[in-house]
Amino acid sequence: MLGNGLLKGLAETARNFFGSYVDKDRLTTIQFPEERAPRIEASRNFPFLVYDGTDPQAGLRCVSCLICEKECPPKCIFIEKSTDKKPDAVGKPQFYPTRFNIDVSVCMSCQICVEVCPFDAIKMDNDFEASATGRFSDLLWTKERLAKSNEYYHQVHPTEAADVDAALAAARAKAAAPKPAASPAPPAPSATGGAPEK
Amino acid sequence: MSALAEFPSAAHLTPSADGDSQLLEVSMGPQHPSTHGVFRMDVVLDGETVVKLKPIFGYLHRNHEKIAEDETYLGSMPYTDRLDYFCSLTNNWAYALAVETLAGIQVPERAQYLRIITAELTRLQNHASLVGFLMQDMGASGTPLMYAFREREKILDLFEALTGARMMCNYMRFGGCRVDLPAGWLEQAKQVVAAFPRFLDEYETLLVSNEIIMARTQGVGVLSRELAINAGITGPVLRACGVNYDLRKVDKYGIYDRFSFRIPLGDHGDVYDRYMLRLLEMRESIKILEQAMRDLPEGPFTDPKTKVRNFRPKPGEAYGRIEAPKGELGFYLISDGTPNPYRYRVRPPSLINLTVLEDMCLGRNVADVVIILGSIDIVMGEVDR
């Protein structure tokens, strides 16, 4: 009968409509501002800089080796390297970034900076509510805005952060064992990165 | 003299009775909801009938190939996500395959399985959204597209849990994949795949026997087997004409020779066949997924010898191609031993499949042009690059 297929289709629509009241698989949306989906751990959007200790600027793990600046595909990272060395969180003298800017209007969230960083200093955030009203200065994130604590990193990527902490602790123990503190031992390469440049 | 006489392609049309019909040139797009992005067609119409159609590309040109020549090999990987932004994982795979051929890298067993699983999930969500869009183009506003996107969403959630992003996955690396499966991912994926046939059944009940769909699609946009082969058409558009050519069977790249699956073929090469073929392909993809998730071995997920930085393949050239959801996606690379490729070229399935658009549309009316374009399955990110 002509119209049979149409009626069958309409019956299907009705099944989906009424089913959406009982079946979670048929209604997958949530009422966003009131309800929130659980954050997915692996999710990423923009990078941030990890610091140890309490001082967000002095505790930065970044030693401004400029590897991420060079490897960033859209070239959204700008780093100015310091001329002097300053003791880092464990007391070892290191260079530090006097300026570290990320233009998030250019950043494409590929996380290649994270992969190449030998110091585990830059990681991906998953805070998606990053809207701003200005087109230029609001989207140029300086190191003050980018610095976030290691505890925050544990909060957003618990599994990954635990692995990183274990690797760092092991590397520190290894560096401290033969000659304690005094000489600037080569920094520990991370699990993902290659050898540091300088 | 009739204005029609200027167009040899309109020779089969009878001029209107008074003999002085006027042809109308319509510019469809670039900002038109039916053109799947910024695509423009200059259509010459005799009344409602298309007598000439000229596709105009380039509104989304981003210099992809030239940018890649200035990037490191790894640096181009996130850019390949943006080619066909529905299927970033298959784009990653095609590019990784080209670089692996170039540098002679071996991919570990587990990584091969991970690639198959992610690529077939990509095929599922691409075809699901394509049939949804096609129904939307036909005027079934909302409902079929919404059902299709509901299922696609579940697969995108899996992608996010694995790769960190829903669409711009940037997951594959030379010699393997970037990360291993997180805890619980495989179980979740098995659930999604097990629930997928229900969606396909419902979708078929909803639309396949629908009289309006059949009237709109059967015999519309017929592509002949000879023309399809001569024009280099690949993917579902080619198979809908009845040509048995699928790189998963022809090249057996990766480890596709280990899985048992069939290649669905069409007969008439019309829009209906292309639409049905995608539904059947999804069922075959589910078969592959079930086998791959059952057999997934333990082991390394990437080749530990491949360097992330300072990756310099030896001078040479390589072509890596895979069966992307839209057709044959190939990357051609020439290396001169530096960290950047000397030449980087993409063979996009969408662009090549678009070349026969005029031949399929001649003699049809404007509403048919929209669904013929929809049935080719194009993504402008890949057409214009």
Side-chain angles (χ1 to χ4, degrees):
Chain A
M1 184 192 90
L2 190 69
N4 226 348
L6 258 176
L7 291 175
K8 263 201 282 183
L10 282 173
E12 198 54 59
T13 318
R15 188 135 66 100
N16 268 282
F17 172 68
F18 293 111
S20 68
Y21 285 94
V22 285
D23 189 353
K24 200 84 192 85
D25 262 4
R26 290 192 198 273
L27 186 72
T28 49
T29 49
I30 54 169
Q31 300 293 325
F32 167 63
E34 293 83 26
E35 274 178 80
R36 275 158 189 268
R39 276 195 194 183
I40 294 178
E41 192 186 326
S43 170
R44 60 180 145 93
N45 57 359
F46 295 122
F48 67 93
L49 297 172
V50 187
Y51 68 84
D52 293 309
T54 47
D55 185 350
Q57 293 313 310
L60 284 182
R61 286 181 188 168
C62 177
V63 300
S64 70
C65 66
L66 310 182
I67 291 177
C68 54
E69 187 185 39
K70 208 172 83 189
E71 294 286 328
C72 173
K75 304 276 178 281
C76 70
I77 303 178
F78 172 76
I79 305 173
E80 215 173 67
K81 192 174 180 168
S82 65
T83 47
D84 58 326
K85 288 188 176 185
K86 231 169 45 174
D88 65 359
V90 289
K92 198 164 40 171
Q94 292 279 21
F95 288 110
Y96 58 93
T98 50
R99 267 211 273 177
F100 194 114
N101 293 345
I102 293 181
D103 189 344
V104 290
S105 62
V106 175
C107 175
M108 61 176 178
S109 313
C110 64
Q111 85 164 36
I112 281 181
C113 52
V114 178
E115 275 167 71
V116 297
C117 181
F119 301 94
D120 287 304
I122 188 163
K123 294 290 168 195
M124 296 308 275
D125 205 344
N126 63 9
D127 175 25
F128 55 90
E129 285 159 295
S131 62
T133 46
R135 284 171 60 198
F136 303 108
S137 56
D138 285 1
L139 295 178
L140 187 71
W141 292 3
T142 58
K143 66 172 184 162
E144 283 75 28
R145 163 137 196 203
L146 291 167
K148 283 179 182 165
S149 67
N150 195 25
E151 286 73 48
Y152 178 79
Y153 178 38
H154 274 274
Q155 210 181 315
V156 291
H157 303 296
T159 330
E160 192 190 303
D163 290 351
V164 166
D165 272 12
L168 283 179
R172 257 181 224 138
K174 207 174 147 199
K179 266 188 280 173
S183 69
S190 78
T192 49
E197 206 167 34
K198 277 167 196 167
Chain B
M1 182 183 140
S2 158
L4 269 176
E6 293 167 34
F7 295 94
S9 56
H12 60 289
L13 296 174
T14 36
S16 49
D18 52 7
D20 61 355
S21 66
Q22 268 214 317
L23 294 183
L24 182 67
E25 195 173 337
V26 180
S27 176
M28 275 179 86
Q31 314 295 343
H32 190 279
S34 76
T35 56
H36 297 248
V38 276
F39 174 56
R40 186 174 143 212
M41 294 170 276
D42 256 353
V43 193
V44 180
L45 298 174
D46 176 37
E48 266 282 298
T49 315
V50 177
V51 294
K52 188 170 185 281
L53 187 145
K54 189 175 160 207
I56 297 161
F57 313 119
Y59 289 93
L60 204 60
H61 184 65
R62 315 180 292 294
N63 233 342
H64 177 80
E65 290 172 1
K66 211 65 191 168
I67 288 175
E69 287 168 18
D70 281 341
E71 288 286 352
T72 58
Y73 284 88
L74 175 65
S76 296
M77 185 63 88
Y79 282 112
T80 61
D81 291 339
R82 279 114 180 126
L83 281 174
D84 174 355
Y85 39 78
F86 270 78
C87 320
S88 64
L89 285 158
T90 48
N91 296 346
N92 285 178
W93 193 359
Y95 178 54
L97 200 67
V99 177
E100 279 154 9
T101 321
L102 189 64
I105 300 169
Q106 291 301 317
V107 183
E109 189 87 338
R110 186 176 172 86
Q112 295 279 24
Y113 274 89
L114 291 179
R115 285 181 176 190
I116 299 246
I117 292 171
T118 49
E120 291 304 321
L121 282 173
T122 305
R123 198 180 312 277
L124 278 186
Q125 59 97 1
N126 178 72
H127 285 356
S129 40
L130 182 267
V131 291
F133 279 131
L134 189 57
M135 292 306 129
Q136 175 90 355
D137 286 344
M138 270 179 231
S141 304
T143 311
L145 182 65
M146 196 177 66
Y147 292 169
F149 265 51
R150 185 185 64 197
E151 300 309 311
R152 173 173 179 258
E153 198 59 34
K154 293 171 189 163
I155 295 175
L156 292 188
D157 281 348
L158 286 178
F159 287 170
E160 187 172 7
L162 174 61
T163 69
R166 290 151 46 82
M167 291 172 81
M168 304 295 132
C169 296
N170 185 19
Y171 178 57
M172 298 193 190
R173 289 290 176 268
F174 316 132
C177 302
R178 184 161 55 76
V179 286
D180 206 353
L181 298 181
W185 191 89
L186 202 61
E187 289 66 45
Q188 201 190 340
K190 277 178 182 163
Q191 275 174 20
V192 170
V193 172
F196 211 85
R198 184 180 80 165
F199 158 71
L200 291 177
D201 293 342
E202 286 187 5
Y203 218 79
E204 284 186 6
T205 336
L206 184 66
L207 297 165
V208 167
S209 57
N210 187 307
E211 286 81 2
I212 302 173
I213 304 272
M214 291 201 274
R216 284 296 305 277
T217 57
Q218 287 181 340
V220 172
V222 176
L223 179 63
S224 73
R225 212 169 286 192
E226 293 70 35
L227 180 62
I229 293 171
N230 288 342
I233 308 302
T234 47
V237 182
L238 175 69
R239 292 194 287 275
C241 311
V243 183
N244 190 353
Y245 181 77
D246 187 316
L247 288 177
R248 291 177 290 175
K249 290 282 190 196
V250 175
D251 269 17
K252 299 192 172 61
Y253 62 93
I255 48 165
Y256 270 113
D257 48 347
R258 296 189 199 169
F259 301 101
S260 95
F261 63 101
R262 295 165 70 199
I263 304 298
L265 293 178
D267 198 14
H268 307 94
D270 56 3
V271 174
Y272 191 76
D273 275 15
R274 273 172 236 142
Y275 161 66
M276 280 306 293
L277 192 92
R278 263 122 186 171
L279 289 176
L280 294 172
E281 269 196 6
M282 282 194 265
R283 292 196 189 274
E284 296 303 316
S285 285
I286 291 171
K287 273 192 211 162
I288 301 175
L289 276 167
E290 280 167 351
Q291 295 170 46
M293 291 199 288
R294 190 191 61 210
D295 300 341
L296 180 67
E298 292 297 319
F301 59 89
T302 185
D303 177 19
K305 290 196 292 289
T306 310
K307 286 194 287 185
V308 175
R309 293 183 54 233
N310 291 326
F311 177 76
R312 293 162 193 255
K314 284 191 206 74
E317 55 178 335
Y319 181 64
R321 58 178 191 173
I322 68 161
E323 181 74 28
K326 295 177 171 62
E328 174 186 334
L329 174 65
F331 282 82
Y332 176 63
L333 297 167
I334 302 180
S335 162
D336 54 357
T338 58
N340 317 326
Y342 174 78
R343 179 81 173 94
Y344 172 106
R345 156 91 190 147
V346 190
R347 188 254 185 233
S350 298
L351 172 69
I352 311 236
N353 290 356
L354 256 186
T355 52
V356 288
L357 181 65
E358 182 177 17
D359 302 274
M360 289 197 269
C361 291
L362 287 184
R364 311 300 315 187
N365 53 28
V366 183
D368 288 343
V369 171
V370 172
I371 59 168
I372 292 169
L373 179 71
S375 73
I376 303 177
D377 192 7
I378 56 161
V379 158
M380 291 318 285
E382 189 175 66
V383 174
D384 290 338
R385 297 192 301 294

